[in-house]
Amino acid sequence: MLHLDWVRRWLGRGFWALSDRGLFSVSNFVLNILLARWLTPDGYGAFAVAFTVFLLLGAVHSGLLTEPMLVFGPAKHGDRFSEYLGVLLVWHVAFALAGSLLLIGAAAALHALGWSVTSRTLLALSVASPFILLQWLARMACYVKLEPRPAAIAGIAYLALVTGGTVALHEALLLSSASALILMGSASLVSVAWLLSRLRPRWPGGSSQAQFRKAVLEDHWAYGRWASGTGILTWIPGQVYYLVLPLWGGLSATASLRALMNLIMPILHGYSALGLLLTTVLARQRRARFRKIVAWSVLGFASGAVVYWVVLGGGRQFFVNLLYGGRYSEVSPLLWLIGVIPVMGVGATVFAPALRALQRPDRVFVAYAVSTVAALTVGLWLTVRGGPVGAALGILLSTVLTALVLGRELWKVLRDDTEAAVEPGAGDV
């Protein structure tokens, strides 16, 4: 009976965890589709630029606060998590304030250069980003307490508010790249207020708690400087093109690329979630079974990605017209190229979790460092020469290089482990 209760409890947690990730992925997907459909190409391009900048902030924020919290929260501070979370919230405020000031400065510079739409959008992001990042932190705090259900419920509220709010703004003729970001921030504030009422963070005040706060800071800095660095390296190969395209092709070129990339987001988000589960599964396996699971995972993920690619490419005109009401149809043939990205991305989906399960995140860092160099050299050259087509080629190039380097590093780790397991003279009797 106890065993059945344990299984039932963990199945429930797994359901709510997958629901949480799915709901927020659906929210962003629906929002991007509606904005690409209803905003002008320049307006949607400005939103794509701002959201790319936000993802960079998010990579650093997650590396310094969220990822270390998932490691140290349950292991070292489970007995006083409310105080631990209180410390992190204070640091979040400091990070958010610094980020907002940087965004305001960037908005002022772009306004002076005549990029008024992008300037207003970044200004709106400076207001919205603290609440969106706070929502990310609060959601992951639920996982530390092994209570993903509140995070999923907050996801339901966020989806309803963002979708309904976008439609309402459109009907009122108030929808813009800036108002969409303010809406995201407002929806995040509502959902995070409910989450924090459940988490009940508390600031560990008094001089007697100074040692605790110092220890938390040291742990997060030791772990977070590497995690945030890896996050930046992961961000560059897939996102830097959205910042470069407006300089040569205008905001409409960024809008075209983002609109088409939206169509592969469902499979990329789905594979990302499965990759997290794969890490846990592989961490529990012996080497012989480990290799089989990796091989079958590559085959399974690749088969699904190829089917997705063929369907997307074959129905490219239909999907673009259906989602965007006829906009961006002139660039729909590019979906044949963009659809290859998830196929080549199977390497990262499988090999990166395998290396993490083997406790070799340094090899993952190497792979993304290689793809970052490629993105900042060949990728940017392709973007300047070819616009959205060149940017898509640059993303594909980085994806292929990431997969190749990850595969090589995984093979080397498994080979070294096999050789180390064979002791000299083990075959002599």
Side-chain angles (χ1 to χ4, degrees):
M1 180 64 70
L2 288 177
H3 178 69
L4 290 176
D5 289 342
W6 181 87
V7 171
R8 191 180 300 112
R9 184 165 58 252
W10 276 97
L11 284 176
R13 288 170 176 168
F15 168 78
W16 288 113
L18 291 175
S19 298
D20 169 50
R21 293 184 64 84
L23 284 165
F24 279 93
S25 295
V26 169
S27 299
N28 289 329
F29 178 75
V30 170
L31 177 63
N32 272 279
I33 294 299
L34 293 179
L35 292 180
R37 184 183 180 95
W38 289 335
L39 294 182
T40 64
D42 280 359
Y44 184 57
F47 177 84
V49 169
F51 195 73
T52 296
V53 173
F54 168 74
L55 290 178
L56 177 58
L57 281 177
V60 179
H61 182 273
S62 294
L64 292 174
L65 296 178
T66 306
E67 286 190 43
M69 177 185 68
L70 293 172
V71 174
F72 299 117
K76 297 184 65 173
H77 307 298
D79 57 339
R80 53 188 309 183
F81 186 72
S82 294
E83 294 174 311
Y84 173 65
L85 183 58
V87 174
L88 298 189
L89 289 181
V90 171
W91 292 346
H92 162 78
V93 171
F95 180 95
L97 179 60
S100 294
L101 290 175
L102 288 173
L103 289 171
I104 292 172
L110 289 174
H111 180 76
L113 293 172
W115 292 70
S116 56
V117 176
T118 308
S119 173
R120 289 194 299 270
T121 307
L122 286 183
L123 195 61
L125 180 62
S126 71
V127 176
S129 60
F131 303 111
I132 304 174
L133 291 174
L134 180 58
Q135 180 192 204
W136 286 13
L137 182 65
R139 283 172 53 213
M140 291 300 101
C142 294
Y143 286 75
V144 176
K145 299 187 70 174
L146 295 179
E147 296 177 1
R149 183 171 178 267
I153 293 174
I156 295 173
Y158 181 78
L159 173 60
L161 289 170
V162 166
T163 304
T166 303
V167 174
L169 287 172
H170 174 66
E171 293 298 320
L173 302 180
L174 295 174
L175 186 62
S176 67
S177 55
S179 65
L181 286 167
I182 295 298
L183 173 63
M184 292 175 67
S186 301
S188 297
L189 178 60
V190 172
S191 62
V192 82
W194 182 77
L195 283 175
L196 292 179
S197 71
R198 298 292 299 268
L199 292 166
R200 297 179 181 177
R202 183 162 57 91
W203 171 251
S207 58
S208 61
Q209 301 294 331
Q211 189 62 34
F212 172 72
R213 297 193 295 268
K214 180 182 178 183
V216 172
L217 175 61
E218 290 175 349
D219 285 340
H220 273 250
W221 177 244
Y223 184 102
R225 58 186 176 183
W226 291 105
S228 58
T230 302
I232 293 172
L233 289 182
T234 305
W235 174 88
I236 290 174
Q239 301 295 328
V240 71
Y241 304 100
Y242 297 110
L243 301 183
V244 174
L245 269 174
L247 301 177
W248 282 273
L251 289 171
S252 60
T254 300
S256 297
L257 177 64
R258 182 69 192 187
L260 296 184
M261 289 293 292
N262 286 338
L263 274 67
I264 64 171
M265 286 299 115
I267 189 171
L268 293 181
H269 285 308
Y271 277 11
S272 175
L274 291 173
L276 292 175
L277 294 176
L278 184 61
T279 303
T280 303
V281 171
L282 289 174
R284 301 168 181 259
Q285 304 302 320
R286 297 174 181 268
R287 288 295 180 264
R289 186 166 173 78
F290 186 100
R291 295 170 186 264
K292 290 181 180 179
I293 293 176
V294 168
W296 280 106
S297 297
V298 170
L299 180 61
F301 287 146
S303 298
V306 169
V307 171
Y308 193 95
W309 172 42
V310 172
V311 172
L312 185 64
R316 58 194 181 280
Q317 199 70 44
F318 169 77
F319 291 124
V320 170
N321 288 336
L322 175 67
L323 295 174
Y324 301 129
R327 287 186 176 178
Y328 308 109
S329 58
E330 69 280 1
V331 293
S332 63
L334 188 54
L335 280 174
W336 276 116
L337 176 62
I338 289 176
V340 184
I341 294 173
V343 179
M344 296 295 102
V346 167
T349 301
V350 178
F351 300 150
L355 284 167
R356 292 188 179 104
L358 294 170
Q359 300 182 28
R360 296 309 304 264
D362 55 318
R363 303 299 180 96
V364 179
F365 183 91
V366 168
Y368 280 105
V370 171
S371 63
T372 294
V373 171
L376 294 177
T377 53
V378 179
L380 292 185
W381 179 80
L382 288 170
T383 302
V384 172
R385 296 296 297 247
V389 177
L393 284 171
I395 295 173
L396 180 59
L397 171 65
S398 296
T399 304
V400 171
L401 284 176
T402 302
L404 290 175
V405 177
L406 284 171
R408 184 196 67 182
E409 296 298 320
L410 177 60
W411 179 80
K412 287 166 62 177
V413 170
L414 291 175
R415 181 199 61 191
D416 293 344
D417 285 354
T418 301
E419 292 175 352
V422 179
E423 299 179 3
D428 298 335
V429 179

